[in-house]
């Protein structure tokens, strides 16, 4: 088990040795859903009847027409996703509890029995005060949560699938490399064609099941992350 753990750590570390002195490489688009949607043509559900005047008509209903609807509507079309997140949340809770108890009991007079018992007790002891107890407990708890997130981004996404109910599945990936740091933005989700604006844009709050990932990889990101050994120790160590 120990040998397997060491081997796995060594393999994961050697995977980054080939990137020493080199900038992060871009992720390939070949094989992704976007690439497949762009290069594959779907079979039409029905073939509209063609007339002799269609080829010479000044009016067409397609997206290439001057007056046609240019919004994304089928697989392979591109639309712009506008991400403007400005959320803040503040929660504060406080709890307090206090309890004090005291109990005292004795037998000052019971047919003279306590007095006879007192004769056999040590000096200072008396059955008049047989026992006395005191208890006190105090509890205080306080917690607060404060979050503030702001993100403004725009990304071009591709329609990768048309669902039977007319909903479109979109997916967008964007990578920007600055020196030796790669910035990545990924957006996926489901949109209704009616929610797409005339500018062929849709805001993130109209995307169902939205998955938005914004991060990076490179030398700066590697330095900010703890080492593999430290991550394993944080998981395994019980204290």
């Amino acid at each position: 088990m120990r040998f397997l753990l060491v081997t796995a750590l060594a393999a994961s570390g050697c995977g980054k040795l080939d990137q020493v002195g080199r900038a992060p490489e871009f992720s390939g688009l070949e094989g992704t859903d976007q690439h497949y949607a762009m290069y594959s043509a779907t079979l039409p559900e029905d073939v509209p009847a063609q007339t002799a005047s269609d080829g010479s008509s000044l009016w067409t209903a397609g997206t290439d027409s001057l007056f046609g609807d240019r919004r994304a509507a089928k697989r392979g079309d591109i639309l712009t996703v506008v991400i403007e997140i400005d959320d803040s949340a503040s929660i504060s809770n406080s709890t307090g509890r206090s309890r004090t108890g005291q109990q005292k009991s004795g037998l000052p007079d019971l047919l003279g029995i306590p007095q006879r018992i007192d004769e056999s007790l040590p000096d200072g002891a008396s059955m008049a005060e047989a026992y006395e107890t005191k208890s006190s407990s105090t509890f205080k708890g306080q917690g607060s949560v404060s979050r503030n997130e702001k993100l403004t981004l725009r990304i071009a996404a591709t329609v990768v699938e048309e669902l039977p109910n007319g909903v479109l599945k979109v997916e967008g990936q964007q990578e920007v490399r600055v020196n030796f740091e790669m910035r990545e933005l990924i957006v996926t989700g489901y949109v209704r064609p009616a929610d797409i604006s005339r500018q062929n844009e849709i805001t993130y709050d109209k995307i169902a099941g939205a998955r938005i990932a914004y991060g990076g990889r490179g030398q700066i990101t590697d330095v900010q992350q703890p080492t593999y050994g430290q991550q394993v120790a944080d998981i395994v160590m019980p204290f």
Side-chain angles (χ1 to χ4, degrees), residues 91-98 138-144:
I91 302 175
S92 180
N93 295 323
S94 179
T95 304
R97 184 182 66 183
S98 178
T138 303
F139 170 79
K140 291 183 179 180
Q142 185 175 0
S144 62

mmCIF file of all heavy atoms in Angstrom, residues 91-98 138-144:
data_model
loop_
_atom_site.group_PDB
_atom_site.id
_atom_site.type_symbol
_atom_site.label_atom_id
_atom_site.label_comp_id
_atom_site.label_asym_id
_atom_site.label_seq_id
_atom_site.Cartn_x
_atom_site.Cartn_y
_atom_site.Cartn_z
ATOM 1 N N ILE A 91 -24.879 36.575 7.160
ATOM 2 C CA ILE A 91 -25.665 35.831 8.144
ATOM 3 C C ILE A 91 -24.947 35.898 9.479
ATOM 4 O O ILE A 91 -23.735 35.673 9.558
ATOM 5 C CB ILE A 91 -25.853 34.358 7.732
ATOM 6 C CG1 ILE A 91 -26.538 34.269 6.358
ATOM 7 C CG2 ILE A 91 -26.667 33.605 8.773
ATOM 8 C CD1 ILE A 91 -26.643 32.862 5.829
ATOM 9 N N SER A 92 -25.683 36.212 10.531
ATOM 10 C CA SER A 92 -25.103 36.307 11.868
ATOM 11 C C SER A 92 -26.050 35.665 12.865
ATOM 12 O O SER A 92 -27.249 35.979 12.891
ATOM 13 C CB SER A 92 -24.842 37.767 12.244
ATOM 14 O OG SER A 92 -24.290 37.848 13.545
ATOM 15 N N ASN A 93 -25.534 34.745 13.663
ATOM 16 C CA ASN A 93 -26.316 34.047 14.688
ATOM 17 C C ASN A 93 -25.628 34.154 16.041
ATOM 18 O O ASN A 93 -24.394 34.119 16.118
ATOM 19 C CB ASN A 93 -26.489 32.562 14.330
ATOM 20 C CG ASN A 93 -27.316 32.372 13.075
ATOM 21 O OD1 ASN A 93 -28.267 33.104 12.841
ATOM 22 N ND2 ASN A 93 -26.940 31.395 12.256
ATOM 23 N N SER A 94 -26.431 34.284 17.087
ATOM 24 C CA SER A 94 -25.898 34.360 18.447
ATOM 25 C C SER A 94 -26.812 33.567 19.368
ATOM 26 O O SER A 94 -28.046 33.691 19.301
ATOM 27 C CB SER A 94 -25.800 35.822 18.910
ATOM 28 O OG SER A 94 -25.310 35.887 20.225
ATOM 29 N N THR A 95 -26.217 32.744 20.211
ATOM 30 C CA THR A 95 -26.969 31.894 21.138
ATOM 31 C C THR A 95 -26.369 31.997 22.524
ATOM 32 O O THR A 95 -25.141 31.980 22.687
ATOM 33 C CB THR A 95 -26.936 30.421 20.674
ATOM 34 O OG1 THR A 95 -27.440 30.337 19.346
ATOM 35 C CG2 THR A 95 -27.774 29.547 21.589
ATOM 36 N N GLY A 96 -27.229 32.117 23.529
ATOM 37 C CA GLY A 96 -26.761 32.187 24.912
ATOM 38 C C GLY A 96 -27.656 31.368 25.825
ATOM 39 O O GLY A 96 -28.874 31.324 25.654
ATOM 40 N N ARG A 97 -27.042 30.707 26.798
ATOM 41 C CA ARG A 97 -27.807 29.884 27.734
ATOM 42 C C ARG A 97 -27.093 29.880 29.078
ATOM 43 O O ARG A 97 -25.865 29.747 29.147
ATOM 44 C CB ARG A 97 -27.931 28.457 27.218
ATOM 45 C CG ARG A 97 -28.802 27.554 28.111
ATOM 46 C CD ARG A 97 -28.834 26.137 27.571
ATOM 47 N NE ARG A 97 -27.510 25.517 27.647
ATOM 48 C CZ ARG A 97 -27.241 24.300 27.198
ATOM 49 N NH1 ARG A 97 -28.179 23.588 26.632
ATOM 50 N NH2 ARG A 97 -26.017 23.798 27.304
ATOM 51 N N SER A 98 -27.857 30.023 30.156
ATOM 52 C CA SER A 98 -27.280 30.032 31.500
ATOM 53 C C SER A 98 -28.251 29.358 32.452
ATOM 54 O O SER A 98 -29.471 29.579 32.374
ATOM 55 C CB SER A 98 -27.002 31.480 31.946
ATOM 56 O OG SER A 98 -26.475 31.491 33.263
ATOM 57 N N THR A 138 -23.021 27.535 31.883
ATOM 58 C CA THR A 138 -23.168 28.680 30.981
ATOM 59 C C THR A 138 -22.706 28.278 29.592
ATOM 60 O O THR A 138 -21.677 27.608 29.439
ATOM 61 C CB THR A 138 -22.349 29.880 31.476
ATOM 62 O OG1 THR A 138 -22.760 30.213 32.797
ATOM 63 C CG2 THR A 138 -22.560 31.088 30.576
ATOM 64 N N PHE A 139 -23.462 28.677 28.577
ATOM 65 C CA PHE A 139 -23.110 28.377 27.193
ATOM 66 C C PHE A 139 -23.353 29.612 26.335
ATOM 67 O O PHE A 139 -24.383 30.270 26.444
ATOM 68 C CB PHE A 139 -23.948 27.205 26.655
ATOM 69 C CG PHE A 139 -23.813 27.000 25.174
ATOM 70 C CD1 PHE A 139 -22.701 26.357 24.667
ATOM 71 C CD2 PHE A 139 -24.781 27.478 24.300
ATOM 72 C CE1 PHE A 139 -22.565 26.180 23.293
ATOM 73 C CE2 PHE A 139 -24.640 27.303 22.940
ATOM 74 C CZ PHE A 139 -23.532 26.657 22.434
ATOM 75 N N LYS A 140 -22.388 29.908 25.498
ATOM 76 C CA LYS A 140 -22.524 31.030 24.579
ATOM 77 C C LYS A 140 -21.977 30.602 23.210
ATOM 78 O O LYS A 140 -20.914 29.986 23.133
ATOM 79 C CB LYS A 140 -21.754 32.258 25.077
ATOM 80 C CG LYS A 140 -22.356 32.900 26.316
ATOM 81 C CD LYS A 140 -21.586 34.157 26.698
ATOM 82 C CE LYS A 140 -22.195 34.807 27.924
ATOM 83 N NZ LYS A 140 -21.463 36.052 28.328
ATOM 84 N N GLY A 141 -22.708 30.899 22.176
ATOM 85 C CA GLY A 141 -22.272 30.586 20.814
ATOM 86 C C GLY A 141 -22.563 31.732 19.873
ATOM 87 O O GLY A 141 -23.592 32.405 19.997
ATOM 88 N N GLN A 142 -21.650 31.962 18.964
ATOM 89 C CA GLN A 142 -21.807 33.057 18.017
ATOM 90 C C GLN A 142 -21.149 32.672 16.697
ATOM 91 O O GLN A 142 -20.052 32.108 16.680
ATOM 92 C CB GLN A 142 -21.179 34.340 18.571
ATOM 93 C CG GLN A 142 -21.422 35.563 17.688
ATOM 94 C CD GLN A 142 -20.893 36.833 18.339
ATOM 95 O OE1 GLN A 142 -20.361 36.790 19.442
ATOM 96 N NE2 GLN A 142 -21.055 37.946 17.651
ATOM 97 N N GLY A 143 -21.818 32.936 15.608
ATOM 98 C CA GLY A 143 -21.283 32.631 14.288
ATOM 99 C C GLY A 143 -21.757 33.643 13.264
ATOM 100 O O GLY A 143 -22.841 34.223 13.395
ATOM 101 N N SER A 144 -20.941 33.848 12.253
ATOM 102 C CA SER A 144 -21.291 34.810 11.211
ATOM 103 C C SER A 144 -20.703 34.346 9.881
ATOM 104 O O SER A 144 -19.645 33.720 9.837
ATOM 105 C CB SER A 144 -20.773 36.214 11.552
ATOM 106 O OG SER A 144 -19.361 36.220 11.640
#
